[in-house]
Amino acid sequence: KELKSTLLKLLGGPKCIECGFSNVQCLDFEHKKGGGSAEKNQFGGFSEKRMKSWIENISDTKKRIQIMCANCNQIKKAIFNEY
């Protein structure tokens, strides 16, 4: 929870960039240009190691990752066929 909270703050949250929803339990770290599944496989899922890597490389992370609520994230995936 602490790593997620830190990362949300570093990425400008905690709120969805689309709708402003701010319940942290429903916020996702979303890859701006896709590729999340490949990265998830590389790190063995959504792990502490992955979040630490994002925090350590926050400048790069800000270019690749954005905060979206689960609903907006699913809508984006459907629109851009990111499944």
Side-chain angles (χ1 to χ4, degrees), residues 16-18 26-28 30 66-70 72-73 76:
C16 174
I17 61 151
E18 290 293 325
C26 298
L27 295 176
D28 296 334
E30 197 278 326
Q66 58 194 359
I67 301 167
M68 294 182 94
C69 71
C72 290
N73 194 3
K76 177 186 176 280

Side-chain angles (χ1 to χ4, degrees), residues 5-16:
S5 178
T6 298
L7 191 52
L8 286 169
K9 289 175 187 171
L10 289 171
L11 291 172
K15 65 180 179 180
C16 174

